[in-house]
Amino acid sequence: MCGIVGYTGPREAGPILIEGLGRLEYRGYDSAGIALVDEEGALFVEKKAGKLVNLQAAIADRTPHASLGVAHTRWATHGRPNDLNAHPHQDCTGEITVVHNGIIENFRELRDELEARGHALRSETDTEALAHLVEDAYQGDLSAAVREALGRVEGAYALVVMHRGERSRLIGARHNVPLVVGLNGEESFLASDVAAILAHTDKVVFLQEGDIADVRPTGVTITSLTGEPLDRPVSTIDWTPEAAEKGGHATFMEKEIHEQPEALAQSLAGRVSPAGGVAAPELDEMADTFRRVTRVELVACGTAYYAAMVGAAALQEWTGLPSRVTVGSEFRYSPPPVDTNTLVVAVTQSGETADTIAPTRWAREQGCPIVAITNTVGSAITREADAVMFLQAGPEIAVAASKTFVTQVTTLVTLAATIAKARGAMAEAAELELGAALRHLPEAAARTLELAAHVPAMAQRYAGSRGFMFIGRGYSFPAALEGALKLKEVSYIHAEGYAAGELKHGPISLLDAECPLVAVATRSRVYDKLMSNVMEGRARDARVIAVATEGDEAIGRFADEVVFVPPTHEALSPVLAVIPLQLFAYHTALARGNDVDQPRNLAKSVTVE
Ligand code: M6R
């Protein structure tokens, strides 16, 4: 939930670390801090509550020359977001410095024990205990001390530790929280993700659970917690640094909404043949499993959960297998009955969401075959799965998901078709119809963006509304839920997403002239039913905003505002319908003066329960 970056090498560490933190702010941004060991071996530490700019202002003109350092951007879990609780943290002597992402679950016992032994802990954080544990264990070798200290720790962590007296060395450790090593000849990096270091290197080592990385300027040595040497491959990342930048847009969210046609094209590459055949080659080894399974359980959170709803509907419709999706935090403690014939599909953009990883791991322990759908190569979820489908959407920096929702939907639909084909349940004509729609989808998404040119002005007109009700039926229901979530996240206006038929069972009482009804009214088998629900809302004075299919001439009679999207396959309709809703949320937030890339109280990657 926090962002970490570390540097050792011949260049000035300060600017490199601050630039890296800027790229990690989406992981958390309630405080930031930096620690540098200068040329004389003196430690410089500065920490500031609030966004990175506060730290930058505090160190301007006084950043020492240093070639070793660590920095951190925080999303608070233990201890209020203030200067004192900001990372980095030091031990009693000031020799040892720690930055940490995750939660040390036994930190209270550790703190009590450390204090009883005379250690003075200054902050309220779980992390500070780690610095003191390393202090106790240190006998001249930082790596050995970190390993010994971590032997006492329960919980999840990615951490970087440095010692003032070991002037070119960083120790990184990972357990259930991401950490990567970057290598660039005479300099090395540690970071929460590649976005922080991509400007400097494309050669990275993804640390795995329990890895301890001894990082020097010229390379890294990796061992287990007990000191056994480990071999980890060096991966070459093909994301350009520019791919992680705003690319001419005012914000990352705007950029990511507009790059959806490209993200879809990238995501579908290799999955739809020119003739319209749909297949996911990465699932080839699963064909026998797909033939024998008797049910499908999907697990996900937030936006990924709504995408998984589309996947569950397509799976059930095309394979005939009972398929349902459960949010990770519910699945974890009230798991559905599973057996070795239950296929579990975990959907997570980051691949690091604790609420999704834990139930997936549990299901694996029960012997369930697992397919993971993620955007993040090397992420934790990939190690829990028998097969992985990558979204191939490129890095998503804005906290509010956009391009990963649409690519999750298409990837899930591809999975559903692959399973249906393996089971002989999908006729060739149905496959070709889907394949043609998938191939056309990037172009249709580009057309959707053009058709939504009036959405900014519309958002201005509605930005003062008290609340919004989003409705949809069938495949358009998840799009309604995602539209409501987007609006809530970035505009801070209350929005409900409902199955349209449920409106009359309660939430209709919220509707009036101050609470518009947003209807996802794309062409479908249940279009007429949805229109009846829209009329119910109109009869209560609600203004109606409709997302409808191009060519729908009747919609103007039911709606005050219409945004058209091109026609597509019904199962893919949420991909297009969500785009104007993302834009509506985005421009409403701008009209209200909000920080759209980093909405209050949120973090991009939720690696704690
Ligand atoms: O990385 P994940 O897909 O597992 O994240 C799950 C949710 O936290 C995430 O989708 C969240 O709801 C989005 N940021 C919403 O825009």
Side-chain angles (χ1 to χ4, degrees):
M1 202 72 80
C2 306
I4 290 176
V5 58
Y7 176 81
T8 177
R11 290 195 285 157
E12 285 291 352
I16 292 173
L17 294 175
I18 293 294
E19 183 207 349
L21 278 194
R23 299 250 166 76
L24 292 176
E25 252 197 316
Y26 71 91
R27 301 180 69 90
Y29 37 80
D30 63 40
S31 55
I34 188 168
L36 298 162
V37 178
D38 76 12
E39 288 157 338
E40 274 75 51
L43 184 71
F44 169 89
V45 182
E46 188 59 83
K47 318 196 287 186
K48 281 283 163 226
K51 292 199 173 177
L52 181 58
V53 285
N54 297 357
L55 177 67
Q56 284 172 299
I59 63 171
D61 308 325
R62 51 183 280 270
T63 314
H65 294 295
S67 54
L68 177 73
V70 293
H72 186 273
T73 177
R74 178 168 187 247
W75 188 83
T77 54
H78 292 75
R80 279 155 295 172
N82 56 23
D83 291 359
L84 192 60
N85 289 331
H87 298 213
H89 291 284
Q90 278 73 41
D91 67 329
C92 297
T93 64
E95 300 282 298
I96 288 152
T97 295
V98 177
V99 287
H100 164 227
N101 175 23
I103 290 182
I104 306 301
E105 284 169 5
N106 58 337
F107 84 103
R108 280 194 190 81
E109 295 120 77
L110 291 174
R111 283 182 70 110
D112 290 350
E113 181 196 312
L114 285 160
E115 280 170 346
R117 286 212 304 274
H119 286 267
L121 281 79
R122 291 169 290 261
S123 74
E124 303 164 295
T125 64
D126 50 342
T127 303
E128 195 187 345
L130 278 169
H132 294 267
L133 284 176
V134 176
E135 175 192 351
D136 273 357
Y138 188 74
Q139 293 188 348
D141 176 359
L142 189 57
S143 178
V146 171
R147 282 201 302 271
E148 188 179 327
L150 289 178
R152 301 284 326 279
V153 163
E154 288 161 27
Y157 53 78
L159 52 95
V160 182
V161 187
M162 67 179 188
H163 190 286
R164 197 163 65 85
E166 301 195 36
R167 274 194 240 163
S168 61
R169 189 180 193 191
L170 294 171
I171 305 297
R174 169 187 173 134
H175 183 60
N176 286 336
V177 177
L179 192 65
V180 298
V181 180
L183 301 171
N184 189 30
E186 296 297 310
E187 60 182 0
S188 300
F189 308 80
L190 274 159
S192 293
D193 68 40
V194 290
I197 55 176
L198 211 48
H200 309 288
T201 183
D202 61 356
K203 300 279 180 293
V204 303
V205 178
F206 293 103
L207 296 181
Q208 299 184 16
E209 307 314 348
D211 285 2
I212 307 286
D214 190 341
V215 180
R216 316 273 183 154
T218 50
V220 60
T221 310
I222 300 173
T223 56
S224 68
L225 203 53
T226 47
E228 287 86 31
L230 295 168
D231 251 354
R232 299 286 181 234
V234 178
S235 307
T236 302
I237 299 299
D238 59 8
W239 293 352
T240 61
E242 293 69 39
E245 306 259 327
K246 291 179 192 152
H249 289 279
T251 62
F252 283 113
M253 184 175 175
E254 184 184 63
K255 167 183 171 274
E256 287 155 9
I257 290 172
H258 282 86
E259 70 191 9
Q260 289 180 111
E262 190 190 328
L264 285 164
Q266 239 173 258
S267 185
L268 290 165
R271 292 175 180 155
V272 197
S273 74
V278 181
E282 59 273 54
L283 300 177
D284 283 354
E285 312 251 296
M286 299 286 288
D288 286 341
T289 304
F290 292 158
R291 278 189 276 276
R292 76 169 158 81
V293 294
T294 54
R295 58 192 296 120
V296 187
E297 295 285 349
L298 297 98
V299 60
C301 303
T303 289
Y305 171 74
Y306 299 142
M309 284 176 73
V310 181
L315 275 159
Q316 191 155 286
E317 185 182 343
W318 301 340
T319 66
L321 292 168
S323 306
R324 77 175 148 181
V325 52
T326 309
V327 289
S329 51
E330 290 301 314
F331 195 125
R332 184 167 190 178
Y333 297 107
S334 311
V338 297
D339 59 27
T340 53
N341 284 324
T342 309
L343 176 67
V344 171
V345 180
V347 189
T348 163
Q349 183 282 131
S350 62
E352 300 289 347
T353 299
D355 283 336
T356 303
I357 290 167
T360 308
R361 188 170 292 156
W362 173 84
R364 184 165 61 89
E365 285 159 11
Q366 312 310 304
C368 303
I370 312 277
V371 173
I373 294 183
T374 183
N375 198 29
T376 315
V377 178
S379 60
I381 200 74
T382 62
R383 289 188 285 284
E384 305 299 332
D386 299 291
V388 182
M389 295 181 81
F390 289 107
L391 300 182
Q392 301 169 179
E396 187 175 71
I397 304 295
V399 167
S402 56
K403 63 178 177 170
T404 56
F405 173 79
V406 297
T407 50
Q408 278 164 351
V409 170
T410 53
T411 306
L412 281 154
V413 162
T414 308
L415 170 70
T418 306
I419 297 176
K421 279 172 59 186
R423 297 173 66 85
M426 186 171 242
E428 194 184 354
E431 180 188 352
L432 294 181
E433 188 196 346
L434 176 66
L438 283 168
R439 282 183 72 76
H440 181 62
L441 204 55
E443 203 183 305
R447 168 102 183 120
T448 305
L449 287 164
E450 285 166 21
L451 290 170
H454 59 301
V455 170
M458 201 171 91
Q460 283 282 349
R461 290 198 296 279
Y462 288 85
S465 301
R466 186 187 74 239
F468 285 84
M469 181 73 66
F470 285 67
I471 55 168
R473 274 181 181 254
Y475 284 104
S476 74
F477 174 37
L481 289 167
E482 174 61 4
L485 176 64
K486 278 303 75 95
L487 189 68
K488 281 184 270 212
E489 279 186 292
V490 296
S491 77
Y492 316 146
I493 300 176
H494 180 65
E496 298 253 11
Y498 257 90
E502 281 288 288
L503 203 54
K504 58 187 174 297
H505 295 290
I508 199 166
S509 64
L510 292 169
L511 295 183
D512 61 20
E514 300 304 311
C515 182
L517 183 65
V518 182
V520 183
T522 44
R523 279 273 173 226
S524 73
R525 289 162 281 184
V526 284
Y527 176 85
D528 292 338
K529 300 283 175 203
L530 182 83
M531 280 307 131
S532 309
N533 306 129
V534 170
M535 294 311 289
E536 290 159 12
R538 252 178 108 82
R540 273 78 186 176
D541 292 335
R543 312 257 299 156
V544 175
I545 300 169
V547 177
T549 306
E550 264 185 309
D552 180 348
E553 280 159 17
I555 192 74
R557 294 206 303 273
F558 302 100
D560 301 280
E561 316 275 353
V562 183
V563 194
F564 286 109
V565 299
T568 187
H569 192 290
E570 198 174 330
L572 298 174
S573 62
V575 169
L576 302 182
V578 82
I579 293 174
L581 302 182
Q582 294 165 344
L583 287 166
F584 185 69
Y586 176 77
H587 288 284
T588 305
L590 285 191
R592 292 166 67 93
N594 296 352
D595 179 344
V596 285
D597 279 344
Q598 295 179 344
R600 68 187 183 199
N601 305 338
L602 295 177
K604 179 71 177 165
S605 174
V606 187
T607 52
V608 293
E609 259 196 277

